[in-house]
Amino acid sequence: MIPTLEAYDISPYSGFLPAEPPLGRLPQGYYQPWEEVIDKLGPYIMGKRIREVINELPQLSINKLENEREMRRAYQVLTFLAHAYIWCGEPVEKLPSQIAVPCVNVSKILGLPPIATYASLCLWNFKKIDDRREFSLDNLTTINTFTGSIDESWFYLVSVYFEKEGSFSLKAGLDALNNAQNGQMKEAVQNLQLLAESIDMLGSILMRMEEMCDPHIFYFRIRPFLAGWKNMGSVGLEKGVYYGDEKTPRSYAGGSNAQSSLIQFFDIILGVCHHATGDLTADNSFLNEMREYMPKKHREFLEALEPYTFTIRDFVKSQHDEELTLAYDACLAMLKSFRDKHIQIVTRFVVLQAKKVNKMGSGTTLRSGLARKKQGEEKGTGGTSLLPFLKQCRDETGNAAAGSWGKRILTDGMLRLKYSKSNGVNED
């Protein structure tokens, strides 16, 4: 049976965001030592005191947390503190037990790794400024940040708003899947058209990133705190991080947009397959791994949807209907365009900023983690080779096209190539 949103803690109105607003503070006095530190996280980082302050925290149990909403808040607080501890200045390879033990315990209950994820940074890190007004970017603020900057808040909130508006895509996609399952061609056309329009709108939301988030500030001030401790030997964490008194280090990827369930939903519903970067014979293990960084029920939703990966595509191909084929290929075109926009953002915010590192003197700005890497292939906060991974995901999107014209345009860029040659444009 095709999965329903409600069965997996997904709202038809807010998508993968929680239907009930995230908790802004744990209510128990017992947990106020955590809350008091995160209240002053920015100043403690700026004064290079965060490790000293965390080392002085009492050892608290998670046994007084009463519901999942409180568990999510505790997870958010503890993962923010963990990243601040590891990445404030020269990275250290051990988390103190005051943070490590409760973080590991609450993560087990939530089915998440004990590290900052897209869920703790974005999905559970927002609130309305004015409850009487609508849910919009100009009426949202973050609950917590590392730097206290508008730029950091905006970086998270664009993703929050993206997820909220993505609820329309979820409904249109599932409706189209049900149409395909039941042989309803006219309705499938309508819902695929809605899905294409919705994905196009999400691309426009993504491009708002630079309105209030400066690429230089992001790369040198914010991004260092988002890195994980996997594949980070080049910046000081050879083995990963030891949690408390554990004898074996743990290795986890940092927060990444690949942990957005909405992005993987699009690929499944449209039959888009991804392979390992540079190896078209193997599945993309990184994308599969990123599911382990999603809230448990959202991960299970994607798993329940996987048996229907090619349902819409096969239905479209079987009907030989021009309007249906065009509607489906339009969805792929919009998804490929979205990935193009993502690459543009990454180029501005990461690749171009990384080129500045060698030109900057050692004392120009405080840098840690990924921001101090001076040469070699640029890595994402999730630990991947950044541009090769994103470009391959984009190019693979067109492979699912149903029509011959759509496949030619989406995979070969034939019209663009012909236009360039006829006008004497050098593609290089």
Side-chain angles (χ1 to χ4, degrees):
M1 175 181 281
I2 295 174
T4 62
L5 297 178
E6 292 83 358
Y8 293 92
D9 196 24
I10 306 167
S11 167
Y13 307 104
S14 58
F16 292 102
L17 298 178
E20 188 177 11
L23 196 62
R25 195 176 189 91
L26 290 169
Q28 301 90 339
Y30 178 77
Y31 294 114
Q32 293 320 294
W34 294 349
E35 295 286 3
E36 288 168 6
V37 174
I38 203 166
D39 280 346
K40 302 174 183 176
L41 187 58
Y44 283 143
I45 289 173
M46 185 169 60
K48 303 178 185 178
R49 292 189 57 220
I50 187 61
R51 290 172 185 160
E52 167 196 339
V53 172
I54 288 177
N55 286 336
E56 293 173 354
L57 282 173
Q59 186 75 52
L60 302 180
S61 164
I62 67 166
N63 292 342
K64 296 185 186 298
L65 298 172
E66 297 178 358
N67 52 54
E68 186 169 7
R69 199 162 170 242
E70 292 181 6
M71 295 279 184
R72 291 174 178 175
R73 173 59 183 165
Y75 175 77
Q76 185 202 4
V77 170
L78 291 165
T79 54
F80 262 82
L81 296 182
H83 279 248
Y85 193 95
I86 296 298
W87 293 117
C88 185
E90 291 296 317
V92 293
E93 63 176 15
K94 182 176 180 179
L95 272 178
S97 60
Q98 295 98 312
I99 296 298
V101 173
C103 189
V104 167
N105 290 339
V106 78
S107 298
K108 284 180 182 177
I109 295 172
L110 291 172
L112 287 163
I115 194 168
T117 59
Y118 186 80
S120 59
L121 295 167
C122 300
L123 300 182
W124 304 338
N125 187 29
F126 70 92
K127 60 183 176 181
K128 278 188 176 183
I129 298 170
D130 184 345
D131 286 332
R132 298 168 297 179
R133 293 180 56 208
E134 65 179 358
F135 195 108
S136 61
L137 258 176
D138 62 359
N139 191 36
L140 291 175
T141 187
T142 47
I143 298 171
N144 295 113
T145 63
F146 293 101
T147 64
S149 66
I150 292 173
D151 302 76
E152 185 179 355
S153 287
W154 187 258
F155 179 73
Y156 302 146
L157 293 174
V158 167
S159 289
V160 170
Y161 191 59
F162 170 87
E163 294 289 342
K164 170 65 166 61
E165 294 301 293
S167 62
F168 299 107
S169 301
L170 287 170
K171 185 178 185 307
L174 286 180
D175 285 348
L177 179 58
N178 277 288
N179 297 150
Q181 186 89 327
N182 296 318
Q184 301 167 319
M185 188 170 70
K186 181 179 178 181
E187 292 83 356
V189 170
Q190 293 172 344
N191 282 309
L192 286 171
Q193 289 172 343
L194 288 174
L195 180 58
E197 292 167 5
S198 178
I199 296 173
D200 183 43
M201 175 189 65
L202 293 176
S204 299
I205 292 173
L206 184 67
M207 294 305 289
R208 295 190 64 184
M209 185 65 73
E210 208 164 348
E211 284 183 21
M212 298 290 286
C213 183
D214 180 85
H216 179 92
I217 292 174
F218 169 75
Y219 187 81
F220 290 101
R221 295 292 188 186
I222 301 166
R223 187 173 181 256
F225 291 104
L226 305 181
W229 22 97
K230 181 176 184 178
N231 299 330
M232 294 295 164
S234 61
V235 293
L237 296 179
E238 295 289 343
K239 300 177 181 178
V241 166
Y242 293 87
Y243 280 61
D245 296 328
E246 292 181 352
K247 303 303 180 186
T248 304
R250 292 173 179 248
S251 178
Y252 299 114
S256 168
N257 278 344
Q259 295 164 11
S260 167
S261 302
L262 183 58
I263 303 299
Q264 293 208 20
F265 168 81
F266 291 141
D267 285 334
I268 295 173
I269 208 79
L270 293 172
V272 176
C273 298
H274 295 292
H275 302 89
T277 305
D279 183 359
L280 301 183
T281 65
D283 290 339
N284 193 307
S285 58
F286 175 72
L287 289 176
N288 292 332
E289 177 191 349
M290 287 299 98
R291 290 199 189 172
E292 299 304 313
Y293 293 75
M294 298 175 185
K296 185 172 183 289
K297 288 184 179 179
H298 298 173
R299 177 167 68 246
E300 291 172 347
F301 169 72
L302 296 179
E303 291 168 354
L305 197 62
E306 275 193 324
Y308 303 93
T309 297
F310 301 110
T311 299
I312 291 179
R313 182 185 174 190
D314 289 347
F315 174 69
V316 170
K317 286 189 168 185
S318 70
Q319 297 303 300
H320 306 289
D321 181 84
E322 183 177 349
E323 189 176 23
L324 179 63
T325 300
L326 183 60
Y328 172 75
D329 284 350
C331 291
L332 294 172
M334 292 302 101
L335 185 56
K336 187 173 183 180
S337 174
F338 170 83
R339 288 191 155 116
D340 262 326
K341 291 172 181 175
H342 189 199
I343 290 171
Q344 291 175 39
I345 293 291
V346 168
T347 300
R348 293 173 192 167
F349 279 70
V350 179
V351 178
L352 294 180
Q353 303 308 311
K355 291 180 179 179
K356 298 178 180 179
V357 174
N358 285 330
K359 300 177 182 179
M360 299 173 68
S362 60
T364 306
T365 184
L366 174 65
R367 299 192 294 273
S368 64
L370 293 173
R372 68 177 191 160
K373 188 168 185 272
K374 293 192 175 183
Q375 57 186 336
E377 193 169 47
E378 191 62 29
K379 297 287 186 180
T381 48
T384 59
S385 299
L386 199 51
L387 280 185
F389 166 73
L390 293 175
K391 287 180 178 179
Q392 183 170 313
C393 284
R394 175 200 61 192
D395 295 342
E396 288 170 335
T397 301
N399 294 340
S404 57
W405 183 83
K407 182 175 284 292
R408 189 168 73 250
I409 299 308
L410 281 166
T411 59
D412 299 333
M414 190 65 70
L415 289 183
R416 180 171 62 87
L417 185 61
K418 287 182 178 178
Y419 174 83
S420 299
K421 287 182 177 178
S422 65
N423 287 275
V425 177
N426 188 337
E427 282 291 292
D428 297 331

